[in-house]
PDB file of all heavy atoms in Angstrom:
ATOM      1  N   ARG A1430     -40.203  18.722 -11.845  1.00 53.00           N
ATOM      2  CA  ARG A1430     -40.709  19.345 -10.619  1.00 53.00           C
ATOM      3  C   ARG A1430     -39.781  20.490 -10.228  1.00 53.00           C
ATOM      4  O   ARG A1430     -38.562  20.314 -10.265  1.00 53.00           O
ATOM      5  CB  ARG A1430     -40.691  18.336  -9.473  1.00 53.00           C
ATOM      6  CG  ARG A1430     -42.021  17.667  -9.320  1.00 53.00           C
ATOM      7  CD  ARG A1430     -42.004  16.809  -8.095  1.00 53.00           C
ATOM      8  NE  ARG A1430     -42.300  15.445  -8.464  1.00 53.00           N
ATOM      9  CZ  ARG A1430     -41.830  14.397  -7.845  1.00 53.00           C
ATOM     10  NH1 ARG A1430     -41.035  14.542  -6.832  1.00 53.00           N
ATOM     11  NH2 ARG A1430     -42.164  13.192  -8.237  1.00 53.00           N
ATOM     12  N   PRO A1431     -40.316  21.613  -9.861  1.00 47.00           N
ATOM     13  CA  PRO A1431     -39.423  22.691  -9.459  1.00 47.00           C
ATOM     14  C   PRO A1431     -38.722  22.365  -8.148  1.00 47.00           C
ATOM     15  O   PRO A1431     -39.301  21.701  -7.286  1.00 47.00           O
ATOM     16  CB  PRO A1431     -40.361  23.894  -9.271  1.00 47.00           C
ATOM     17  CG  PRO A1431     -41.718  23.319  -9.075  1.00 47.00           C
ATOM     18  CD  PRO A1431     -41.732  21.970  -9.737  1.00 47.00           C
ATOM     19  N   ALA A1432     -37.474  22.802  -8.001  1.00 47.00           N
ATOM     20  CA  ALA A1432     -36.708  22.480  -6.800  1.00 47.00           C
ATOM     21  C   ALA A1432     -37.315  23.127  -5.567  1.00 47.00           C
ATOM     22  O   ALA A1432     -37.541  22.500  -4.562  1.00 47.00           O
ATOM     23  CB  ALA A1432     -35.275  22.972  -6.959  1.00 47.00           C
ATOM     24  N   VAL A1433     -37.576  24.405  -5.667  1.00 48.00           N
ATOM     25  CA  VAL A1433     -38.191  25.102  -4.537  1.00 48.00           C
ATOM     26  C   VAL A1433     -39.498  25.675  -5.072  1.00 48.00           C
ATOM     27  O   VAL A1433     -39.491  26.323  -6.105  1.00 48.00           O
ATOM     28  CB  VAL A1433     -37.279  26.262  -4.065  1.00 48.00           C
ATOM     29  CG1 VAL A1433     -37.929  27.030  -2.939  1.00 48.00           C
ATOM     30  CG2 VAL A1433     -35.930  25.713  -3.653  1.00 48.00           C
ATOM     31  N   PRO A1434     -40.602  25.396  -4.399  1.00 50.00           N
ATOM     32  CA  PRO A1434     -41.868  25.912  -4.894  1.00 50.00           C
ATOM     33  C   PRO A1434     -41.775  27.423  -5.131  1.00 50.00           C
ATOM     34  O   PRO A1434     -41.169  28.145  -4.336  1.00 50.00           O
ATOM     35  CB  PRO A1434     -42.855  25.603  -3.765  1.00 50.00           C
ATOM     36  CG  PRO A1434     -42.200  24.514  -2.979  1.00 50.00           C
ATOM     37  CD  PRO A1434     -40.731  24.649  -3.175  1.00 50.00           C
ATOM     38  N   ALA A1435     -42.363  27.859  -6.242  1.00 46.00           N
ATOM     39  CA  ALA A1435     -42.203  29.253  -6.646  1.00 46.00           C
ATOM     40  C   ALA A1435     -42.714  30.226  -5.583  1.00 46.00           C
ATOM     41  O   ALA A1435     -42.241  31.346  -5.478  1.00 46.00           O
ATOM     42  CB  ALA A1435     -42.954  29.465  -7.950  1.00 46.00           C
ATOM     43  N   THR A1436     -43.683  29.777  -4.811  1.00 48.00           N
ATOM     44  CA  THR A1436     -44.278  30.680  -3.830  1.00 48.00           C
ATOM     45  C   THR A1436     -43.355  30.904  -2.630  1.00 48.00           C
ATOM     46  O   THR A1436     -43.538  31.834  -1.877  1.00 48.00           O
ATOM     47  CB  THR A1436     -45.592  30.098  -3.289  1.00 48.00           C
ATOM     48  OG1 THR A1436     -45.317  28.765  -2.879  1.00 48.00           O
ATOM     49  CG2 THR A1436     -46.680  30.132  -4.317  1.00 48.00           C
ATOM     50  N   VAL A1437     -42.378  30.004  -2.462  1.00 49.00           N
ATOM     51  CA  VAL A1437     -41.512  30.152  -1.300  1.00 49.00           C
ATOM     52  C   VAL A1437     -40.395  31.136  -1.615  1.00 49.00           C
ATOM     53  O   VAL A1437     -39.678  30.995  -2.591  1.00 49.00           O
ATOM     54  CB  VAL A1437     -40.886  28.793  -0.906  1.00 49.00           C
ATOM     55  CG1 VAL A1437     -39.910  28.977   0.253  1.00 49.00           C
ATOM     56  CG2 VAL A1437     -41.968  27.815  -0.543  1.00 49.00           C
ATOM     57  N   LYS A1438     -40.303  32.138  -0.775  1.00 57.00           N
ATOM     58  CA  LYS A1438     -39.250  33.129  -0.982  1.00 57.00           C
ATOM     59  C   LYS A1438     -37.915  32.467  -0.643  1.00 57.00           C
ATOM     60  O   LYS A1438     -37.802  31.763   0.342  1.00 57.00           O
ATOM     61  CB  LYS A1438     -39.516  34.297  -0.029  1.00 57.00           C
ATOM     62  CG  LYS A1438     -38.461  35.387  -0.086  1.00 57.00           C
ATOM     63  CD  LYS A1438     -38.877  36.549   0.795  1.00 57.00           C
ATOM     64  CE  LYS A1438     -38.697  36.294   2.278  1.00 57.00           C
ATOM     65  NZ  LYS A1438     -37.376  36.281   2.803  1.00 57.00           N
ATOM     66  N   ARG A1439     -36.933  32.673  -1.486  1.00 67.00           N
ATOM     67  CA  ARG A1439     -35.628  32.091  -1.191  1.00 67.00           C
ATOM     68  C   ARG A1439     -34.963  32.838  -0.046  1.00 67.00           C
ATOM     69  O   ARG A1439     -34.833  34.055  -0.081  1.00 67.00           O
ATOM     70  CB  ARG A1439     -34.751  32.150  -2.425  1.00 67.00           C
ATOM     71  CG  ARG A1439     -35.260  31.172  -3.457  1.00 67.00           C
ATOM     72  CD  ARG A1439     -34.140  30.628  -4.236  1.00 67.00           C
ATOM     73  NE  ARG A1439     -34.666  29.553  -5.069  1.00 67.00           N
ATOM     74  CZ  ARG A1439     -33.912  28.791  -5.806  1.00 67.00           C
ATOM     75  NH1 ARG A1439     -32.619  28.959  -5.822  1.00 67.00           N
ATOM     76  NH2 ARG A1439     -34.442  27.840  -6.535  1.00 67.00           N
ATOM     77  N   ALA A1440     -34.547  32.087   0.943  1.00 77.00           N
ATOM     78  CA  ALA A1440     -33.915  32.709   2.094  1.00 77.00           C
ATOM     79  C   ALA A1440     -32.425  32.863   1.823  1.00 77.00           C
ATOM     80  O   ALA A1440     -31.893  32.297   0.875  1.00 77.00           O
ATOM     81  CB  ALA A1440     -34.123  31.817   3.310  1.00 77.00           C
ATOM     82  N   SER A1441     -31.747  33.611   2.658  1.00 85.00           N
ATOM     83  CA  SER A1441     -30.297  33.700   2.522  1.00 85.00           C
ATOM     84  C   SER A1441     -29.661  32.830   3.592  1.00 85.00           C
ATOM     85  O   SER A1441     -30.301  32.458   4.573  1.00 85.00           O
ATOM     86  CB  SER A1441     -29.843  35.148   2.675  1.00 85.00           C
ATOM     87  OG  SER A1441     -29.896  35.495   4.043  1.00 85.00           O
ATOM     88  N   TYR A1442     -28.380  32.508   3.378  1.00 86.00           N
ATOM     89  CA  TYR A1442     -27.672  31.699   4.371  1.00 86.00           C
ATOM     90  C   TYR A1442     -27.711  32.364   5.745  1.00 86.00           C
ATOM     91  O   TYR A1442     -27.888  31.712   6.764  1.00 86.00           O
ATOM     92  CB  TYR A1442     -26.201  31.541   3.966  1.00 86.00           C
ATOM     93  CG  TYR A1442     -25.984  30.673   2.748  1.00 86.00           C
ATOM     94  CD1 TYR A1442     -24.901  30.918   1.908  1.00 86.00           C
ATOM     95  CD2 TYR A1442     -26.808  29.608   2.475  1.00 86.00           C
ATOM     96  CE1 TYR A1442     -24.665  30.121   0.803  1.00 86.00           C
ATOM     97  CE2 TYR A1442     -26.586  28.815   1.361  1.00 86.00           C
ATOM     98  CZ  TYR A1442     -25.520  29.073   0.530  1.00 86.00           C
ATOM     99  OH  TYR A1442     -25.293  28.284  -0.551  1.00 86.00           O
ATOM    100  N   ASP A1443     -27.540  33.686   5.732  1.00 87.00           N
ATOM    101  CA  ASP A1443     -27.519  34.391   7.007  1.00 87.00           C
ATOM    102  C   ASP A1443     -28.843  34.260   7.755  1.00 87.00           C
ATOM    103  O   ASP A1443     -28.857  34.064   8.968  1.00 87.00           O
ATOM    104  CB  ASP A1443     -27.198  35.882   6.787  1.00 87.00           C
ATOM    105  CG  ASP A1443     -25.701  36.089   6.674  1.00 87.00           C
ATOM    106  OD1 ASP A1443     -24.965  35.272   7.265  1.00 87.00           O
ATOM    107  OD2 ASP A1443     -25.278  37.039   5.995  1.00 87.00           O
ATOM    108  N   ASP A1444     -29.942  34.352   6.999  1.00 89.00           N
ATOM    109  CA  ASP A1444     -31.255  34.216   7.650  1.00 89.00           C
ATOM    110  C   ASP A1444     -31.313  32.883   8.390  1.00 89.00           C
ATOM    111  O   ASP A1444     -31.748  32.787   9.525  1.00 89.00           O
ATOM    112  CB  ASP A1444     -32.385  34.191   6.603  1.00 89.00           C
ATOM    113  CG  ASP A1444     -32.517  35.519   5.880  1.00 89.00           C
ATOM    114  OD1 ASP A1444     -31.969  36.518   6.400  1.00 89.00           O
ATOM    115  OD2 ASP A1444     -33.145  35.532   4.803  1.00 89.00           O
ATOM    116  N   VAL A1445     -30.876  31.832   7.685  1.00 92.00           N
ATOM    117  CA  VAL A1445     -30.965  30.497   8.271  1.00 92.00           C
ATOM    118  C   VAL A1445     -30.047  30.395   9.491  1.00 92.00           C
ATOM    119  O   VAL A1445     -30.465  29.947  10.566  1.00 92.00           O
ATOM    120  CB  VAL A1445     -30.599  29.402   7.241  1.00 92.00           C
ATOM    121  CG1 VAL A1445     -30.653  28.029   7.895  1.00 92.00           C
ATOM    122  CG2 VAL A1445     -31.526  29.457   6.050  1.00 92.00           C
ATOM    123  N   LEU A1446     -28.815  30.831   9.323  1.00 92.00           N
ATOM    124  CA  LEU A1446     -27.860  30.705  10.431  1.00 92.00           C
ATOM    125  C   LEU A1446     -28.335  31.467  11.662  1.00 92.00           C
ATOM    126  O   LEU A1446     -28.229  30.992  12.786  1.00 92.00           O
ATOM    127  CB  LEU A1446     -26.486  31.227  10.008  1.00 92.00           C
ATOM    128  CG  LEU A1446     -25.590  30.233   9.279  1.00 92.00           C
ATOM    129  CD1 LEU A1446     -24.187  30.790   9.173  1.00 92.00           C
ATOM    130  CD2 LEU A1446     -25.554  28.884   9.995  1.00 92.00           C
ATOM    131  N   HIS A1447     -28.871  32.647  11.434  1.00 92.00           N
ATOM    132  CA  HIS A1447     -29.331  33.429  12.587  1.00 92.00           C
ATOM    133  C   HIS A1447     -30.507  32.760  13.280  1.00 92.00           C
ATOM    134  O   HIS A1447     -30.582  32.727  14.508  1.00 92.00           O
ATOM    135  CB  HIS A1447     -29.654  34.872  12.180  1.00 92.00           C
ATOM    136  CG  HIS A1447     -28.408  35.690  12.055  1.00 92.00           C
ATOM    137  ND1 HIS A1447     -27.847  36.043  10.840  1.00 92.00           N
ATOM    138  CD2 HIS A1447     -27.551  36.164  12.999  1.00 92.00           C
ATOM    139  CE1 HIS A1447     -26.722  36.714  11.042  1.00 92.00           C
ATOM    140  NE2 HIS A1447     -26.510  36.797  12.352  1.00 92.00           N
ATOM    141  N   ALA A1448     -31.404  32.204  12.488  1.00 93.00           N
ATOM    142  CA  ALA A1448     -32.562  31.535  13.102  1.00 93.00           C
ATOM    143  C   ALA A1448     -32.108  30.303  13.888  1.00 93.00           C
ATOM    144  O   ALA A1448     -32.559  30.054  15.011  1.00 93.00           O
ATOM    145  CB  ALA A1448     -33.567  31.141  12.021  1.00 93.00           C
ATOM    146  N   VAL A1449     -31.172  29.539  13.302  1.00 95.00           N
ATOM    147  CA  VAL A1449     -30.684  28.349  14.012  1.00 95.00           C
ATOM    148  C   VAL A1449     -29.956  28.787  15.277  1.00 95.00           C
ATOM    149  O   VAL A1449     -30.133  28.212  16.353  1.00 95.00           O
ATOM    150  CB  VAL A1449     -29.752  27.509  13.108  1.00 95.00           C
ATOM    151  CG1 VAL A1449     -29.071  26.401  13.899  1.00 95.00           C
ATOM    152  CG2 VAL A1449     -30.535  26.915  11.947  1.00 95.00           C
ATOM    153  N   SER A1450     -29.169  29.831  15.156  1.00 93.00           N
ATOM    154  CA  SER A1450     -28.417  30.336  16.296  1.00 93.00           C
ATOM    155  C   SER A1450     -29.376  30.717  17.431  1.00 93.00           C
ATOM    156  O   SER A1450     -29.193  30.339  18.588  1.00 93.00           O
ATOM    157  CB  SER A1450     -27.594  31.541  15.826  1.00 93.00           C
ATOM    158  OG  SER A1450     -27.240  32.345  16.916  1.00 93.00           O
TER     159      SER A1450
END
Side-chain angles (χ1 to χ4, degrees):
R1430 265 186 238 149
V1433 177
T1436 51
V1437 176
K1438 177 175 76 73
R1439 289 213 172 186
S1441 75
Y1442 291 150
D1443 277 332
D1444 294 343
V1445 178
L1446 275 191
H1447 281 104
V1449 171
S1450 159

